[in-house]
Amino acid sequence: MNTPLNLSLAPSAPRKKHRNLAQSVVASIADSIRDGTSKPGDKLPTESELMRTQGVSRTVIREAISHLQASGLVETRHGIGTFVLAASSSGNFDIDPETVITMRDILAILELRISLEAEAAGLAAARRNEEQLALMRQALDAFQKSAHEHGDSVAADVQFHLHIAQATGNRYFVDILTQLGTTIIPRTRINSARLAHDDPAAYLDRVHREHEDIYNAIVRQDPETARAAMRTHLSNSRERLRKVQDSMAPMP
């Protein structure tokens, strides 16, 4: 019999950023899973209980659960609840962001993303459902809103790519994209734009248009166009990084 987990942790000190609040909830639940306190098959507390014990809003809880789902730590069964998943029997894929130091390292990671995410977009176009499309749309709208308000658009950007990975129906896309999306890619995306002296508004508008092209192909269930749109999107990032690399090269 599945029993709700006891995650009645005292709320931490007040935090100002919504993203940090969600990350704190993710860390709390993930730690309980990894240390064995929460076991496969256990049911998470309800949203209301998590709101009370974590001291955060419903929106924060839902964002945290979305991150945990993307990481393959939990699954939500509609009308029943959210449950802890068994760990994969294979070794965990792991890239330590502290080892990604040089521009060459960053470009190598981006090459991996191009190959991986182009195929993920194609599979997502063939397999997506209406709920997954709604989550992609929500992430795109959040990205555009953050960009217009000069806020942090990275979280919404990452969520859009993770929702595409989830729509493949293949958890290994999600595992790898979670590693790449939540550590290495956001930091390099911001830094590369700054180093390339890109106009921030123009840069974010371009990224948004590229995202829309990917989304529209997935909506139409057009795998080949979805693959091409994703490849174009990430190849543009690669070319920008290469320009940064060239500009940083020492003079002969």
Side-chain angles (χ1 to χ4, degrees):
M1 178 178 178
N2 295 316
T3 55
L5 304 182
N6 180 12
L7 294 172
S8 56
L9 304 177
S12 57
R15 290 153 294 190
K16 295 181 180 180
K17 292 187 177 180
H18 174 92
R19 185 179 172 211
N20 289 343
L21 290 171
Q23 288 175 338
S24 178
V25 176
V26 169
S28 172
I29 298 175
D31 286 347
S32 74
I33 293 172
R34 294 186 179 111
D35 67 17
T37 303
S38 307
K39 297 177 174 55
D42 283 347
K43 184 179 180 182
L44 293 186
T46 64
E47 285 184 354
S48 296
E49 290 170 330
L50 287 171
M51 288 166 60
R52 178 178 56 81
T53 59
Q54 299 289 328
V56 296
S57 69
R58 189 177 303 276
T59 300
V60 170
I61 293 299
R62 288 181 175 175
E63 181 177 334
I65 295 298
S66 177
H67 278 290
L68 291 165
Q69 289 171 334
S71 300
L73 293 176
V74 304
E75 69 172 358
T76 297
R77 302 169 194 168
H78 294 291
I80 302 176
T82 300
F83 297 83
V84 176
L85 290 174
S88 172
S89 58
S90 61
N92 290 331
F93 175 82
D94 185 38
I95 293 179
D96 182 354
E98 297 305 317
T99 68
V100 182
I101 300 171
T102 68
M103 189 65 71
R104 181 176 296 178
D105 293 334
I106 296 168
L107 282 167
I109 291 294
L110 192 49
E111 286 177 356
L112 174 63
R113 276 191 83 195
I114 291 170
S115 300
L116 186 74
E117 294 198 61
E119 183 59 24
L123 291 174
R127 300 172 180 175
R128 93 296 186 278
N129 58 39
E130 293 304 314
E131 181 179 357
Q132 289 161 342
L133 282 178
L135 290 172
M136 292 178 211
R137 183 71 262 165
Q138 181 180 334
L140 285 180
D141 291 344
F143 178 92
Q144 188 174 36
K145 183 175 185 291
S146 295
H148 286 169
E149 295 176 355
H150 306 291
D152 182 2
S153 60
V154 170
D157 191 343
V158 171
Q159 281 301 300
F160 176 65
H161 286 267
L162 284 176
H163 289 318
I164 291 174
Q166 288 173 320
T168 67
N170 183 329
R171 65 171 293 181
Y172 297 104
F173 278 103
V174 177
D175 289 346
I176 297 174
L177 262 293
T178 298
Q179 275 280 325
L180 299 181
T182 58
T183 55
I184 300 162
I185 300 305
R187 185 178 65 213
T188 59
R189 184 173 70 76
I190 294 171
N191 289 347
S192 65
R194 184 181 301 119
L195 289 169
H197 305 292
D198 244 345
D199 174 67
Y203 166 71
L204 291 173
D205 182 62
R206 184 167 65 250
V207 171
H208 180 68
R209 290 198 307 271
E210 292 169 1
H211 282 167
E212 290 286 352
D213 288 342
I214 298 164
Y215 172 76
N216 289 333
I218 294 174
V219 169
R220 296 194 307 270
Q221 295 186 295
D222 184 345
E224 289 308 312
T225 301
R227 288 186 183 97
M230 181 65 81
R231 183 172 293 277
T232 295
H233 171 51
L234 294 176
S235 294
N236 286 343
S237 294
R238 179 179 60 184
E239 291 311 304
R240 183 168 51 253
L241 280 170
R242 283 178 173 166
K243 289 179 182 178
V244 172
Q245 184 180 40
D246 291 344
S247 70
M248 295 171 65
M251 296 294 290

